[in-house]
Amino acid sequence: HVLHPTTLDSIFVSAYGALLGSNSHLNSPHVPKKIKTLWVSSKIVSQSGYRYKSYVKVHHTDSKSFQSAISLFDAKEDGDASNEPVLAMDGFVCQSVGAGIPRQLDLHHDDICSTLQWAPDISFMDTAHLKQELIFPVDQEEEGVILDLRRACFHYVHCALGSLTLADVQQLEWHHQRFYAWMKLQVTQALHGELGPGSSKWVEDTTEDKRKLFKSVQASSVNGEVIYRLGPQIAAMLRREVTPLELLMEDKLLYKYYRHALKFDRANVQLSKIIRHIVHKNPRVKILEIGAGTGGTTRSLLDVIGNGKQSGFGPLASEYHFTDVSSGFFVEAQEQFADWNDILIYRKLDIEADPAKQGFELGSYDVIVACQVLHATKRMKTTIENVRRLLKPGGKLLMMESTKNQVDMQLTFGLLPGWWLSK
């Protein structure tokens, strides 16, 4: 070669060095775009390892490009350059290729596996084996608690019906009308002995009997705490003198309910066991939780995913999208789940509307979690279609819904419009 391509590339690079002495700052990569004139002497030495000196003058620089002139001389043994150039370049323009798209820093990129953990592949697990893993034994004591809750709800409902006037009933909102009809049904069933053993005699309980029952129920479970708070206020809520959420959010009782309510706690454990299998198979899953709300289920799942602080390993998920139709829960969630900030993303999502128009990437989630939320939509077909559009091919929907609602749960949520949307 008269002038080897590598040598020419080195000459180009010398132009960048000249920018260090100027006031310009390269904020993005620049590549050669054009040369106005280039003269190469026939006396240029093509011997490997031969040394040259380059002199660069920067004519112009801005955010998009810079222009320079380069002169190349033979380097003498004493370090000086010869008097005559062997290459002269003018109008050498380098163009910016633009700033790179910022990417979220992966804090666990350099984590390596130092231990092996063997577990069944959930894709090949026998259904009976998985079912056995999720089974909980019957709790006899809990059955008694549930019956007491039912009896307490009967008394609260019976009292509320007795205090409502005809004028109160006529001004009920649409969902309260359904709740009112439900209350009358509970009283009828109780009087016919259909609400529980001896329920036809519940109406004969004395004031002292009821007082002891209410106190016992309140102390037995978070379900009882909620009933104890809402029960005396049923008529006031139906008259719109106070709202259910107002009462439920006092002392963050609703947060406590979603985490420790009877049967909810077991369902959360079951979900976390399934998630453990999924993240073991694929520790880079992308998860979306719909209607995360108070984060009762979120906590169980994040404990399984981990955050590296206890185990020394990074979290077993690449992203966890915490979504709700209301952003009102996000501040509390950000404080509660601060240890997972490197994977948690908080976003509003109305699953009844087109998720793509809300900025969600379709077909991008490995797992979607929906706990006690999909029922609170007007058209289940549309809801499920939108959920499916968000899942990757082969992605999993983990859905938790009640199949037989207890009376206390119906009293707790029946005062809210979402309870009746799909009914």
Side-chain angles (χ1 to χ4, degrees), residues 29 32 63 208 263 317:
S63 61
E208 182 61 19
K263 301 184 181 178

Side-chain angles (χ1 to χ4, degrees), residues 234-373:
I234 292 176
M237 287 184 281
L238 294 177
R239 296 188 188 109
R240 286 172 286 188
E241 297 169 356
V242 64
T243 66
L245 280 178
E246 206 178 328
L247 298 171
L248 288 169
M249 294 303 287
E250 285 181 16
D251 307 320
K252 296 183 179 178
L253 182 57
L254 188 61
Y255 286 82
K256 183 179 178 181
Y257 183 90
Y258 274 115
R259 193 164 182 194
H260 300 294
L262 299 174
K263 301 184 181 178
F264 276 30
D265 53 355
R266 292 199 296 274
N268 285 334
V269 170
Q270 291 170 327
L271 280 174
S272 65
K273 287 182 177 180
I274 295 173
I275 281 289
R276 188 181 298 278
H277 283 296
I278 292 174
V279 298
H280 179 82
K281 179 179 174 66
N282 178 11
R284 304 301 295 160
V285 291
K286 185 177 176 182
I287 301 173
L288 168 72
E289 184 176 356
I290 301 172
T294 62
T297 298
T298 313
R299 167 63 67 177
S300 300
L301 303 187
L302 289 179
D303 284 341
V304 170
I305 291 168
N307 54 32
K309 289 180 171 56
Q310 291 85 21
S311 65
F313 298 100
L316 301 178
S318 62
E319 292 180 21
Y320 192 112
H321 290 204
F322 182 105
T323 74
D324 199 273
V325 71
S326 167
S327 59
F329 294 103
F330 293 170
V331 173
E332 176 70 26
Q334 287 170 333
E335 294 177 3
Q336 184 181 173
F337 305 125
D339 289 341
W340 287 270
N341 279 345
D342 51 339
I343 63 168
L344 270 170
I345 298 171
Y346 299 89
R347 304 178 66 181
K348 281 184 65 174
L349 172 62
D350 179 0
I351 196 60
E352 293 189 83
D354 185 349
K357 292 181 179 178
Q358 299 174 70
F360 287 83
E361 183 182 355
L362 302 181
S364 65
Y365 294 95
D366 300 284
V367 180
I368 292 180
V369 180
C371 297
Q372 291 292 117
V373 63

Side-chain angles (χ1 to χ4, degrees), residues 36 45 47 76 80 91 129 148 155 184 202 216 255 275 321 331 333 346 354-355 376 378 383-385 398 404:
K36 185 176 181 181
V45 178
Q47 179 184 340
K76 296 181 178 179
D80 292 332
H129 177 80
D148 285 345
H155 287 303
K184 291 197 297 182
W202 291 351
S216 173
Y255 286 82
I275 281 289
H321 290 204
V331 173
Y346 299 89
D354 185 349
K378 296 175 183 176
T383 297
I384 294 299
E385 284 175 351
L398 304 183
K404 185 177 181 181

